[in-house]
Amino acid sequence: MKTKILIVEDDPSIRLGLEEMLQDDFEIATCDRGDQVIERCEKFKPDLIVLDIMLPGVSGYDICKTLRQRKVSSLILMLTAKSQELDKVIGLDLGADDYVTKPFGVRELQARIHALLRRRQPLSAVHDGVFSIGQSTINPKTFQLSRGKIVHPLTPKELKVLQLFFKHPGEVLSRDRLLNEVWGYDYYGTTRTLDQTIVKLRKKLGTAIDENVLESVHGVGYKLNIPLTDSSTKIKKAK
């Protein structure tokens, strides 16, 4: 079965060009309005979405936010004429996986798509494993973190960060390593996005004030501040 890609682009020449470029390797569906994307995703169930930001109906930013709120785990590659760093940070913070600015080269876009699809594979083995960090339980299937009766949604990036820390408790993970393993070696942004992700995760873990489970290591990166023998760091079999 071919990997499914949904192309969301209102410019007919770009949309047709992308469809022709990708149709030999992937199963393609297209959409030219933002207010039709959610319904299209529910029917087509894409593995990856090439998402333009400036769309009629609903913006790509709002679409990305809605998809992540609904726990849609499709990879999202944002495609836009905007090139300012803040625009990129906003898109990534909303749950996008990568960002390409127009005009773009065909080979670059193809490389980004293949890199995103490869990046998802290494973590697939742990997607089904529910695990705990401190008093919080993380369920990769539902993209949720629960702490008592409190339930927080997780973005795909937040989930990957937690999975990486869980696999290396007590080990200091450098910013470069976290960016490379979670955002990918072809990520051209800054560490600001990572730092913002850590801040959000601390709040969801309930440790922002009382206890620093995700500890900052000055000049290096972060570590999961739970001893290797701590029974609170354990994996459970998904039900």
Side-chain angles (χ1 to χ4, degrees):
M1 181 181 296
K2 284 186 176 182
T3 298
K4 295 182 177 181
I5 294 181
L6 174 62
I7 299 170
V8 185
E9 169 62 64
D10 63 324
D11 186 317
S13 61
I14 295 178
R15 188 174 64 252
L16 180 60
L18 291 175
E19 185 175 8
E20 291 179 347
M21 178 185 74
L22 298 171
Q23 62 185 0
D24 289 341
D25 296 324
F26 305 101
E27 182 179 346
I28 304 297
T30 63
C31 185
D32 61 0
R33 291 188 57 86
D35 50 10
Q36 298 172 352
V37 174
I38 303 301
E39 181 180 358
R40 197 77 176 93
C41 285
E42 291 176 349
K43 294 180 179 179
F44 185 60
K45 300 187 184 305
D47 298 291
L48 184 145
I49 304 168
V50 178
L51 178 63
D52 188 26
I53 288 182
M54 305 302 291
L55 293 165
V58 180
S59 75
Y61 288 137
D62 290 334
I63 294 167
C64 184
K65 182 178 180 181
T66 300
L67 289 172
R68 294 316 187 209
Q69 288 176 339
R70 296 190 178 193
K71 312 299 183 302
V72 176
S73 59
S74 304
L75 295 164
I76 297 177
L77 175 64
M78 282 195 159
L79 193 64
T80 179
K82 293 185 176 182
S83 59
Q84 296 297 317
E85 180 182 344
L86 179 59
D87 295 320
K88 298 179 182 180
V89 170
I90 291 173
L92 294 169
D93 282 347
L94 288 173
D97 296 279
D98 204 352
Y99 199 110
V100 174
T101 56
K102 302 174 185 177
F104 55 86
V106 172
R107 291 185 178 180
E108 178 192 3
L109 185 62
Q110 287 178 320
R112 291 292 186 94
I113 289 173
H114 285 288
L116 280 176
L117 294 171
R118 287 196 304 270
R119 194 185 307 168
R120 161 175 275 186
Q121 294 172 0
L123 287 175
S124 61
V126 294
H127 272 185
D128 290 340
V130 178
F131 59 98
S132 297
I133 294 178
Q135 300 302 311
S136 299
T137 299
I138 297 93
N139 189 331
K141 282 188 173 181
T142 61
F143 286 84
Q144 289 181 327
L145 181 153
S146 58
R147 181 167 42 86
K149 296 182 179 180
I150 301 173
V151 178
H152 294 287
L154 293 171
T155 68
K157 288 292 187 293
E158 289 173 343
L159 174 60
K160 290 180 182 179
V161 169
L162 289 176
Q163 287 175 319
L164 190 58
F165 278 120
F166 173 75
K167 291 168 62 178
H168 304 278
E171 180 180 342
V172 178
L173 302 182
S174 69
R175 283 181 169 83
D176 285 343
R177 179 177 177 182
L178 286 162
L179 286 171
N180 288 338
E181 295 201 28
V182 177
W183 278 265
Y185 287 91
D186 53 353
Y187 172 67
Y188 298 109
T190 68
T191 59
R192 178 183 174 186
T193 299
L194 169 63
D195 295 336
Q196 290 176 336
T197 299
I198 295 295
V199 170
K200 292 177 181 179
L201 285 174
R202 283 173 175 162
K203 292 180 180 179
K204 292 179 180 182
L205 288 165
T207 60
I209 299 177
D210 300 329
E211 185 182 2
N212 192 2
V213 169
L214 295 181
E215 179 183 352
S216 298
V217 180
H218 182 68
V220 183
Y222 301 94
K223 71 175 180 178
L224 179 60
N225 196 24
I226 298 177
L228 290 170
T229 57
D230 193 326
S231 60
S232 63
T233 304
K234 56 189 177 181
I235 193 163
K236 303 174 182 178
K237 184 177 181 181
K239 296 181 180 180

